Amino acid sequence: MTAGILTQRAQRKKRGPQRESDLLCGSLHTTRFLAVLFCGIVLTLTATAAPEGKGSAAGSKDVTAAQVNGTWECKLNSLQVWALGKGKLQILFEGTYEYKSPQGPMANTGQGSGIATIEGDTAIFRPEGAEEGCKITMKFTGGKLIVKQEGECGFGNHVYAEGTYKKTSSKKPTFDQDR
């Protein structure tokens, strides 16, 4: 039987591979190559998915209190942020929406405050008394604060926290209980 298998291999070598499966599975070298390739892909995917900072989500980096503390402004809105430790931030949002009316310039204002949780460079915040669907995501990156708002947060008509904020002060903000 061994002689028969050797004869078949010799004939296949002479005429070349006839099917695609002969190309992939026809030699021990091809099988080893595929095994090494598979292991390389698995290692690459594992390294890519590994978290960068300890205890942080993949792709995010831990930020320091000095990087987040202070007052951040975007157009007429401001966010006051202070690190409390243990993954918590004290937040105060004050927002304004200006518009023109037949009576002249008008504005709607609103505010919200509470405690956000931060993991890596991203904090999640829902102001005290806001509806369940309200979620404010704050990402501290490259010296900016990028804010996304989901749902209604009760700030007032057309008053939203969403936007790209710049830090205007690193001093400790004054929160309601500090006044």
Side-chain angles (χ1 to χ4, degrees):
M1 185 152 177
T2 306
I5 292 173
L6 292 175
T7 305
Q8 287 175 354
R9 285 188 182 162
Q11 287 175 351
R12 198 178 304 140
K13 281 186 181 179
K14 285 182 187 174
R15 66 174 188 237
Q18 298 297 308
R19 299 179 308 250
E20 191 174 323
S21 62
D22 289 342
L23 283 171
L24 293 175
C25 302
S27 75
L28 183 58
H29 295 293
T30 303
T31 306
R32 282 187 186 150
F33 171 76
L34 290 174
V36 170
L37 179 65
F38 177 76
C39 288
I41 290 170
V42 169
L43 288 174
T44 301
L45 291 174
T46 303
T48 303
E52 291 180 19
K54 64 176 185 180
S56 63
S60 68
K61 296 182 176 151
D62 290 341
V63 290
T64 65
Q67 290 171 304
V68 301
N69 285 346
T71 301
W72 299 80
E73 294 182 352
C74 172
K75 299 176 187 168
L76 299 174
N77 295 345
S78 73
L79 270 164
Q80 296 179 343
V81 181
W82 195 253
L84 301 173
K86 298 184 182 181
K88 303 286 185 204
L89 301 175
Q90 186 171 2
I91 305 290
L92 173 62
F93 167 76
E94 294 176 319
T96 303
Y97 171 75
E98 289 184 333
Y99 61 97
K100 294 178 183 170
S101 74
Q103 293 80 25
M106 302 289 279
N108 296 334
T109 62
Q111 72 174 24
S113 62
I115 304 297
T117 57
I118 187 166
E119 188 172 322
D121 62 358
T122 305
I124 306 295
F125 171 60
R126 187 167 68 84
E128 295 169 359
E131 296 177 24
E132 282 297 314
C134 172
K135 178 181 174 185
I136 298 173
T137 304
M138 304 182 308
K139 183 173 178 75
F140 297 89
T141 179
K144 297 182 288 189
L145 172 56
I146 300 169
V147 177
K148 302 285 183 198
Q149 178 179 324
E150 295 176 31
E152 288 295 322
C153 295
F155 297 137
N157 195 24
H158 296 290
V159 178
Y160 299 100
E162 192 154 321
T164 301
Y165 290 70
K166 291 181 184 177
K167 191 181 232 184
T168 57
S169 172
S170 294
K171 293 180 184 176
K172 182 176 182 180
T174 303
F175 295 97
D176 287 338
Q177 68 267 18
D178 297 338
R179 293 180 182 170

